[in-house]
Amino acid sequence: MRVRQLQLQQQGKSLQSKSQTILEILLALLVFSIAFISLVILVNNYLKILKTAKDIIIANFLAQEGLELVIAKRNINKVQRNSWFYDLSYNKFCIDVNLIPQESNDPCQLYLNNNNQFVHDSSGTPTLFSRLIILDKSTDIATVTSMVVYSENQEIKLETVITDWLP
Amino acid sequence: MKNKGFTILEMTVAILIFLIGIAVISGLYINLVKQYLISQNLQASLGNVKLALEKIWREMKYGINFATTTNGIKYQRVNDCANVEIKYDTATKAILYNSSTLIGPNYFEVNNFTIYATGSFGSQGDYNVTSFKLITISLSGIAKAKSMDIPVNFQISVAPINSVFASTSCGF
């Protein structure tokens, strides 16, 4: 008789733990969906970051170009037997492949011309990139800083030292 | 009466919700895989072009005897005197390095290739006055990433080290 009572009590207990309601299933699906959607957003962001990586590569090449332009200018001055700073009197300036420096305190925007060259001539298509060269001169040595600013105020700065001798 | 099972209506609703859930999630999953493949391809494409441009830049920095050609530029590598020609092949939309493909249309389709060389100035003394003092390569094209094509413009400029000396020879 006592055993039978226990059995009934146990059955009663197990019957109380009922199965999931539709609400619980929906909630579980919701939690699962949120986790999955966040994963999708993560991958989408990865793609965005890669597109930014493209801009960083271009900005780096353009910053390197800034240094090369000043070096080319110095080389031309040496070959022409001018002062090595001839035509480079400014401390801050913008310069493109046409090798004509223009004084500026802020980075000048770069445009794509008909030959798809990055130049400062504003008749072309505007790009995300702006560039400024900063020249810190002493008598026979100078520090050249090439700064490229691109989308959302990101910037890349490259620096080198040039001398009053070659190369 | 309390211990009854699911009715057929409850089962149908549950299965319906489950199927809708599966449909949405599988759609998202396919999108996820697609995005991942695009990212991988874009990364490979940009990496390859960057590497190729850095190789050209490095060789030109130390190269000598530059001359522009049709759709390209040629020079001598300073370490082994080898002649190199970098050229745009309009038919295959590729950049060739001595006839072999350096930047290929499989991952980057080149639509425009411009070489700009300047700096043959003056007529004096020990300096090399005829060599280019600045060489600029502008490259525009499309980075291929599966179903997504991303337009990119690259530009590299180099002031060759040996462009100022009158008597620079290769092979040292």
Side-chain angles (χ1 to χ4, degrees), chain A residues 46-47 49-51 53-54 57, chain B residues 35-51 107-108 143-146 148 150 154:
Chain A
Y46 179 51
L47 198 69
I49 288 167
L50 269 179
K51 282 183 181 169
K54 174 198 79 175
I57 295 172
Chain B
Q35 296 280 355
Y36 178 73
L37 285 175
I38 289 171
S39 310
Q40 290 288 306
N41 275 268
L42 183 63
Q43 198 174 19
S45 169
L46 292 175
N48 276 321
V49 179
K50 184 171 176 273
L51 204 66
Y107 56 89
F108 194 88
K144 299 256 178 185
K146 289 278 172 195
M148 195 182 276
I150 293 159
F154 289 108

Side-chain angles (χ1 to χ4, degrees), chain A residues 6-137:
Chain A
L6 269 173
Q7 274 178 345
L8 277 171
Q9 273 175 2
Q10 279 173 351
Q11 274 177 2
K13 262 189 183 171
S14 67
L15 279 171
Q16 273 175 5
S17 58
K18 52 176 184 168
S19 52
Q20 282 96 349
T21 62
I22 204 97
L23 191 73
E24 283 168 337
I25 292 171
L26 281 174
L27 204 70
L29 267 174
L30 187 76
V31 171
F32 187 66
S33 308
I34 289 170
F36 199 84
I37 288 167
S38 46
L39 201 68
V40 172
I41 291 168
L42 205 72
V43 173
N44 265 325
N45 279 347
Y46 179 51
L47 198 69
K48 267 184 210 159
I49 288 167
L50 269 179
K51 282 183 181 169
T52 314
K54 174 198 79 175
D55 294 337
I56 294 172
I57 295 172
I58 298 169
N60 259 303
F61 280 138
L62 289 173
Q64 179 68 51
E65 181 185 75
L67 300 179
E68 295 297 314
L69 294 171
V70 176
I71 293 168
K73 197 82 186 149
R74 189 271 317 261
N75 290 350
I76 290 166
N77 284 339
K78 291 300 286 185
V79 169
Q80 291 184 316
R81 309 252 166 182
N82 287 323
S83 147
W84 69 303
F85 281 136
Y86 179 76
D87 214 10
L88 287 174
S89 53
Y90 313 123
N91 290 328
K92 288 180 174 182
F93 58 93
C94 296
I95 189 169
D96 62 14
V97 292
N98 298 317
L99 294 174
I100 303 162
Q102 279 172 337
E103 190 172 22
S104 173
N105 280 324
D106 300 310
C108 313
Q109 189 164 14
L110 285 157
Y111 298 83
L112 274 178
N113 69 9
N114 291 336
N115 293 323
N116 282 312
Q117 286 175 316
F118 286 90
V119 289
H120 288 307
D121 176 12
S122 60
S123 63
T125 318
T127 66
L128 295 172
F129 307 95
S130 306
R131 185 173 56 203
L132 182 72
I133 310 292
I134 302 156
L135 202 54
D136 187 9
K137 289 172 278 192

Side-chain angles (χ1 to χ4, degrees), chain B residues 69-142:
Chain B
T69 60
T70 320
N71 285 331
I73 190 160
K74 61 181 184 182
Y75 56 88
Q76 262 185 313
R77 277 204 305 247
V78 79
N79 55 335
D80 61 356
C81 306
N83 290 310
V84 174
E85 184 177 8
I86 309 285
K87 195 177 165 185
Y88 174 46
D89 185 13
T90 44
T92 58
K93 299 195 167 184
I95 301 298
L96 306 179
Y97 180 93
N98 282 348
S99 317
S100 39
T101 305
L102 184 67
I103 298 173
N106 291 340
Y107 56 89
F108 194 88
E109 188 184 287
V110 183
N111 291 326
N112 198 301
F113 184 73
T114 309
I115 301 262
Y116 175 76
T118 185
S120 305
F121 297 107
S123 58
Q124 301 183 44
D126 306 327
Y127 294 124
N128 186 339
V129 291
T130 54
S131 183
F132 297 128
K133 304 295 177 290
L134 179 77
I135 298 156
T136 301
I137 294 180
S138 307
L139 186 76
S140 70
I142 290 164

